[in-house]
Amino acid sequence: MDIRQSEKRRRFLTLGLVCLVLAALLLPFLPQVIWSFSHRWLFPSLLPTEWGLRGWSYVFSPGARLGRAIITSLTISATVSLLSILVGLPAGRALGLYRFRGKTLVQFLILSPAIVPAFAAAMGIHIQFIRYGLADTFFGVVLVQLIPTLPYVVLILGGVFSSYRIEVEEEARTLGANQLKVLWYVTLPSILPGVIVAGLFAFMISWGQYLLTLLIGGGQVLTLPILLLNFVNSGDYTLASVLSLILIIPSGTILWYTSRYLTREGTALGGFGKL
Amino acid sequence: MKAVSMANRAAALLMLIFFSACAPPPAVSTQVASPAEPAAALEQSPAGAVTAPGFEGKAWADIVAEARGQTVNFYMWGGSDTTNTWVTEYAAAELKKQYGINLNMVPVTDIVDTVNKVLGEKQAGRDANGSVDLIWINGENFRTMRQADLLYGPWAQVLPNSIYVSSDDPSVAYDFGTAVDGYESPYGKAQFVMVYDSAKAPVPPASIAELLAWAKANPGKFTYAAPPDFTGSVFVRHVCYSATGGYEQFLGEFDPELFSEKFPDCWKTLNEVEPYLWREGKTYPENRTRMQDLFANGEVYFDMTYNPSEASSLIAQGKYPKSARTFVFKDGTIANTHYLAIPFNSSNKAGALVVANFMLSPEAQYSKAQPANWGDMTALDPALLPSEWQTRFAELDLGEATLSSEVLAAHRLPELQADWLVSIEEAWEANVLHGQ
């Protein structure tokens, strides 16, 4: 009896905690949802006195170019996460598996963009990008966004490789697998959850970039945050709320599905390795 | 060893991606289907106009022909859905239809970023193929660009529609005290008006002095947005014009001695009224939108705006009470013009010229002036227009709360040069916001 009751209480507590966490995560979005449908909402009314669809009908009008901005944002973030994985894999492997002279320095240098605001370096990069013709281009924006994403990707992949047993690769080689087969059948499957987590991080960081995109893209590479900030700055909370809700949807969806995929595999935390 | 070979493979993959990304983008389809409308085909530069640099010996028709198929990157403040929609839907569609030009509106939160962008390109040595083709600008940003030699020109005189702009109107020829000299073409006009609720205060104050007296008699019912919000800033200038004995003495270059001699009177006036302002003047609304909310909510009895027909639009939208009306002071209110300019390194100058000319056309100006579309005052002088357009502009329903263009024109005061503005805004912060 006693045990069952304490079990019950434990379950109740867990449920309460989950609800609390969910509320802390979701409640901040409630005012935004209300704002997005408000037409007239003035102090001190608790709720809008008039509701309307001005915000939603504007963003879905062709002049708002929402579709274009979503596609641009998605392509940029996907490319950035792909590229940072490609660059981050060898770096993470080297940092996670090997000891070498100056490793701490390399680690520090790789992490430094996470400490120093990327914007500081980006001013100089902008001048160079103008010379190379990369300013105002899609690819220029992708390149500059690698600065804030790479530290996290390398950090995560370094963690993954530090708990990786390289002997397995050697065993496969002695059994006759060539390098490509080892990569495909041995290495990749065992680090895949970590790669996905790292890719997600890169995607999220890139998805929310405003300053770097504005500076290098010059406003011509029209991403969602660029559209959004125009209305945040002008104080149009209705439009700003609509756009920020839209900004959350794709990243939220991706996060949801990936975390489900990862937990089903039972490796959601395993992806982080020994961080 | 293995890490190295892996890195090699990654590098190869990277290269592959680089190259595939560098593949030429699909060609932009050039519009040839729709022939230019007769009106556009007949357009000519005004007789005797000096040709725009780079187009020597070419007629307007040649510029229009060269512009066809160009994409014009138009950088503008993008914080209003009404303004954005007018540009991306009306103007872009007409330009495509009439001239085969693709107008790419680039929204920015503050146009000074775009000025810095062009400056950055100049410093990087990008003297051609600049990213900005057309910029919506006035005041200190125009001055900065002129001083740093960032603008192409003079070109405004070659626009066929420039004949509708009054050449002796100082509010068009001088942009915040800086001579325009053909380096920008007018886009629209703004004039400061006060908004009041006729149901609550039947007789609006006739002057700044009366308004401030009213504020003292009705504590908590008046405020203004904190400068550098541009509406709050222009209100402070009105108070200073009134408190220092008139604007005429400040019309020239910035004079630090005159400034420190005269303006303390202005800060004194503002500080005297401060305790009677909304929330006892301990805080000020941060921007125009907050100010609108306060007025709409009845917390304050006066609002102020640079757009004379804005109150009518807000009544139509249901945001302002139907009894809201506008007024100007008997001594007049500050007016200015906003313009379009072309950066020195624009790669689509012909296209930019045609867009600027279209924006100045009676049809575009008329569409822009309609409160439902934008409600921006026209930069054209109605007296110079063909009679049919004169009638249309005269019959334009600007809304019940909008003053007639005659009343507005009779009460126009000039802007000061940009240096004055900056000094006034800084001194306001030091002496009024943080003062006492």
Side-chain angles (χ1 to χ4, degrees):
Chain A
M1 261 321 254
D2 247 320
I3 295 170
R4 188 167 282 181
Q5 243 177 4
S6 75
E7 171 81 1
K8 229 180 184 175
R9 191 183 298 161
R10 210 170 60 90
R11 210 179 273 174
F12 188 73
L13 248 147
T14 322
L15 195 73
L17 253 161
V18 168
C19 285
L20 210 74
V21 169
L22 271 181
L25 281 175
L26 295 179
L27 272 183
F29 295 116
L30 189 65
Q32 271 178 312
V33 175
I34 300 176
W35 262 115
S36 77
F37 288 104
S38 84
H39 181 66
R40 195 180 153 92
W41 191 8
L42 301 162
F43 178 82
S45 324
L46 199 60
L47 285 174
T49 44
E50 278 169 50
W51 301 79
L53 288 171
R54 179 180 70 94
W56 293 99
S57 64
Y58 170 71
V59 296
F60 290 113
S61 69
R65 295 179 293 181
L66 177 73
R68 203 181 103 183
I70 290 182
I71 292 172
T72 313
S73 274
L74 278 176
T75 348
I76 287 180
S77 299
T79 320
V80 165
S81 53
L82 193 74
L83 283 186
S84 37
I85 296 270
L86 285 178
V87 178
L89 267 181
R93 190 180 164 103
L95 287 174
L97 285 181
Y98 308 110
R99 278 163 194 271
F100 50 89
R101 198 186 260 276
K103 184 173 167 180
T104 329
L105 182 72
V106 171
Q107 258 171 335
F108 174 75
L109 284 177
I110 285 176
L111 285 180
S112 59
I115 306 160
V116 183
F119 198 64
M123 301 297 273
I125 291 176
H126 185 216
I127 304 268
Q128 296 305 318
F129 273 23
I130 291 174
R131 293 201 178 120
Y132 304 145
L134 282 167
D136 303 327
T137 64
F138 171 88
F139 201 66
V141 172
V142 166
L143 276 185
V144 80
Q145 287 194 355
L146 286 178
I147 301 174
T149 55
L150 270 179
Y152 297 98
V153 170
V154 174
L155 191 75
I156 294 169
L157 292 176
V160 169
F161 275 107
S162 69
S163 57
Y164 176 70
R165 284 178 51 238
I166 195 159
E167 300 82 12
V168 185
E169 279 184 16
E170 281 153 16
E171 279 159 28
R173 292 298 297 274
T174 49
L175 290 172
N178 61 23
Q179 273 197 342
L180 224 90
K181 275 188 171 165
V182 169
L183 179 72
W184 191 250
Y185 291 108
V186 180
T187 318
L188 273 181
S190 58
I191 60 166
L192 192 63
V195 170
I196 288 173
V197 168
L200 268 179
F201 254 81
F203 191 93
M204 298 293 178
I205 294 166
S206 153
W207 187 255
Q209 283 298 321
Y210 170 70
L211 271 181
L212 289 178
T213 315
L214 182 73
L215 185 77
I216 302 297
Q220 287 190 31
V221 180
L222 201 69
T223 60
L224 272 179
I226 300 270
L227 275 189
L228 170 66
L229 261 286
N230 276 301
F231 296 111
V232 172
N233 273 28
S234 71
D236 191 333
Y237 291 162
T238 304
L239 275 174
S241 300
V242 170
L243 282 165
S244 50
L245 287 174
I246 292 172
L247 186 72
I248 297 163
I249 294 167
S251 49
T253 319
I254 291 171
L255 190 68
W256 176 259
Y257 275 102
T258 325
S259 66
R260 270 186 49 177
Y261 162 77
L262 286 173
T263 39
R264 205 182 55 215
E265 304 280 309
T267 42
L269 289 172
F272 286 95
K274 277 189 275 176
L275 267 180
Chain B
M1 252 320 270
K2 270 183 196 134
V4 171
S5 63
M6 177 111 176
N8 280 341
R9 259 175 284 165
L13 254 166
L14 253 176
M15 296 271 278
L16 205 79
I17 287 165
F18 270 62
F19 285 125
S20 58
C22 289
V28 181
S29 66
T30 41
Q31 267 275 323
V32 276
S34 63
E37 290 195 350
L42 287 175
E43 282 175 340
Q44 285 176 14
S45 293
V50 182
T51 44
F55 295 97
E56 287 81 5
K58 285 185 180 166
W60 180 253
D62 301 324
I63 296 179
V64 171
E66 191 182 324
R68 189 161 282 271
Q70 287 187 347
T71 295
V72 174
N73 291 314
F74 178 26
Y75 278 66
M76 58 178 264
W77 174 75
S80 151
D81 51 340
T82 340
T83 319
N84 293 356
T85 304
W86 186 80
V87 172
T88 52
E89 293 186 2
Y90 170 79
E94 289 297 315
L95 282 161
K96 184 98 183 171
K97 195 173 82 190
Q98 296 184 24
Y99 299 98
I101 289 174
N102 302 302
L103 185 70
N104 179 32
M105 186 269 258
V106 183
V108 293
T109 55
D110 190 342
I111 206 71
V112 74
D113 296 340
T114 310
V115 174
N116 289 332
K117 182 181 172 60
V118 178
L119 189 65
E121 289 182 353
K122 191 182 174 92
Q123 282 163 355
R126 186 153 147 196
D127 292 335
N129 293 319
S131 46
V132 186
D133 295 315
L134 197 65
I135 175 170
W136 180 16
I137 197 171
N138 75 354
E140 56 193 278
N141 289 318
F142 173 67
R143 210 165 101 106
T144 310
M145 291 193 88
R146 276 292 278 144
Q147 280 175 346
D149 238 344
L150 297 176
L151 289 179
Y152 163 73
W155 54 269
Q157 72 286 349
V158 305
L159 304 186
N161 288 323
S162 64
I163 52 169
Y164 304 130
V165 179
S166 167
S167 54
D168 51 355
D169 179 353
S171 76
V172 173
Y174 290 89
D175 180 356
F176 283 75
T178 305
V180 166
D181 288 340
Y183 281 83
E184 54 181 4
S185 164
Y187 186 28
K189 273 190 175 180
Q191 183 167 0
F192 181 82
V193 295
M194 294 287 300
V195 186
Y196 74 111
D197 188 343
S198 58
K200 288 176 179 164
V203 184
S207 64
I208 284 281
E210 277 184 36
L211 175 68
L212 297 182
W214 184 94
K216 284 179 190 167
N218 299 273
K221 292 300 177 195
F222 180 75
T223 192
Y224 53 95
D229 170 82
F230 63 91
T231 313
S233 173
V234 71
F235 175 74
V236 169
R237 292 202 288 284
H238 282 94
V239 175
C240 292
Y241 282 8
S242 151
T244 57
Y247 64 89
E248 292 85 352
Q249 48 189 332
F250 312 124
L251 279 183
E253 292 272 313
F254 178 66
D255 180 346
E257 275 173 37
L258 189 66
F259 181 75
S260 44
E261 180 197 329
K262 295 281 184 179
F263 276 75
D265 288 344
C266 181
W267 315 135
K268 191 164 152 269
T269 311
L270 286 169
N271 278 325
E272 275 168 10
V273 76
E274 194 176 63
Y276 304 98
L277 298 181
W278 173 73
R279 289 201 186 170
E280 293 159 8
K282 284 180 185 132
T283 181
Y284 290 82
E286 56 186 311
N287 58 36
R288 174 88 202 93
T289 317
R290 295 287 80 78
M291 192 65 198
Q292 282 179 359
D293 289 347
L294 288 178
F295 179 75
N297 205 16
E299 285 185 76
V300 297
Y301 284 19
F302 291 95
D303 179 32
M304 49 194 86
T305 168
Y306 249 129
N307 180 348
S309 67
E310 188 187 68
S312 299
S313 311
L314 290 169
I315 294 175
Q317 286 171 26
K319 187 166 181 184
Y320 276 12
K322 287 198 166 54
S323 49
R325 292 291 179 272
T326 58
F327 66 97
V328 288
F329 301 121
K330 66 176 192 306
D331 290 339
T333 55
I334 294 175
N336 66 47
T337 305
H338 42 109
Y339 303 81
L340 298 174
I342 305 174
F344 75 105
N345 61 356
S346 155
S347 44
N348 301 294
K349 293 198 175 88
L353 287 169
V354 174
V355 173
N357 184 55
F358 170 77
M359 295 298 201
L360 203 53
S361 67
E363 56 167 309
Q365 291 278 317
Y366 179 77
S367 164
K368 190 159 68 73
Q370 284 173 305
N373 293 347
W374 176 348
D376 190 34
M377 256 205 299
T378 180
L380 306 177
D381 182 348
L384 298 173
L385 288 171
S387 59
E388 42 162 339
W389 280 110
Q390 279 189 24
T391 343
R392 291 187 75 179
F393 272 100
E395 286 169 358
L396 187 64
D397 182 12
L398 292 174
E400 53 207 329
T402 312
L403 299 171
S404 73
S405 49
E406 291 81 25
V407 171
L408 289 171
H411 293 85
R412 228 164 243 174
L413 300 181
E415 292 278 7
L416 300 181
Q417 291 195 9
D419 291 344
W420 287 98
L421 263 63
V422 176
S423 304
I424 292 174
E425 284 166 7
E426 282 169 0
W428 178 86
E429 201 178 323
N431 296 299
V432 182
L433 185 64
H434 301 309
Q436 291 192 328

